Each structure stands twice: as structure tokens, then as C-alpha cells.
Amino acid sequence: MAFVVETGAGLSNANSYASVSAADSYVADRGIAGWTALSSTIKQQCLVNATDYLEATYRGAWKGNRVSETQSLSWPRYNVIVDGFNFPANLVPTQVINACVEMAIRASLGETLLADQGQRVRREKIDVIEVEYQDYSDPTQRYPLVNRMVMPYLISASESGFAVVRPLRT
């Protein structure tokens, strides 16, 4: 596997938003156990899986436009305005890199980031243990920290171009 980190140049062969050294620094700053014991190859694989998750989850929701039609990932982008400022078109946001590392940590713990969804359990009883899930509950695993990290770079409802119109009462 060729491990290629997106530098902000819009690489056609990039497969990760975060480098191993960026991940190591992020983990060290937060005192997260377990990551340092992994080999560089395993860390790279986890970062690629994490990038795959970010691409599959957010690809159509990022603000702005990709800088090149040949770039393999969604970032870098231009026309991205965050907090009233134009984000540079030759960078990957730190929050996207950090979100990638967060998902890589989960991948390193054996979590399937994008699990296939089967039939939802209504009731399951094994001996005295019984499980019943809420009606209409979404079985998809959620990652609120990651969602909040990338939120400033996502298109909001007010930016989507859809107008919300209420019908007139008669």
C-alpha cells in the first residue's frame, strides 16, 4: 500500500488527510493510550480507513469546491468561508486532519467505521438478558465529536440554497 498524505496540493493519489506524525502528536497531546504501541503500517492503514470514512460521510456536504478534478480527496477546496474568512485553497483544515485521527483511533480499536446495516432488532432475549430497540431508531453509529470538529466546513441549511416556505393559511 502506498500511503500518501494530502498536502493541500490536490494530489491525485492521496489516501489520507493525516500523517502518522500528525496522528502521533494529536494522541500524545491528549494522552490517548494504545496508539503508540501500533506499528507505522497499522497506523497508516487506520488513517486510510478514517479518510475513507470522512469521504463517504461528508463528500457531498463540504463547503466550496475541489481545487482540481483530478484530486483524489475532497480537500483542498476553494470558496470555503468559515467564521467570515476565506479558508486558504492550498490547505486541509486542522479540524479535518484531527477528525481523521479521531476516526483512525477508533479503527485501531477494531471498530468498523462504516458497518453494513442489517435488520434492526425489535426484541432479543437470551436467558434473562433482553434487548429491545426504540421504534424507528437509526442503527448507524454516530460520532458526535467528529461531526462537531468538521461542522464549520460543512454546508449549513441556510447555505444549501433551499428556501423553506410555509404555505399561507386560508
Side-chain angles (χ1 to χ4, degrees), residues 1 14 16 21 24 34 51 58 65 72 125 149 151 160:
M1 168 186 89
S16 180
S21 62
D24 289 346
T51 301
Y58 301 109
N65 306 90
S72 59
K125 186 172 184 177
M149 287 175 138
M151 192 176 296
S160 68

Side-chain angles (χ1 to χ4, degrees), residues 63-75:
K63 290 180 179 180
N65 306 90
R66 294 168 9 125
V67 296
S68 165
E69 69 177 290
T70 60
Q71 70 188 68
S72 59
L73 301 176
S74 295
W75 288 92

Side-chain angles (χ1 to χ4, degrees), residues 112-119 139-141:
T112 302
L113 303 181
L114 286 170
D116 292 336
Q117 302 297 316
Q119 186 175 7
T140 306
Q141 176 70 33

Side-chain angles (χ1 to χ4, degrees), residues 11-24:
L11 302 173
S12 63
N13 61 341
N15 57 6
S16 180
Y17 283 123
S19 65
V20 170
S21 62
D24 289 346

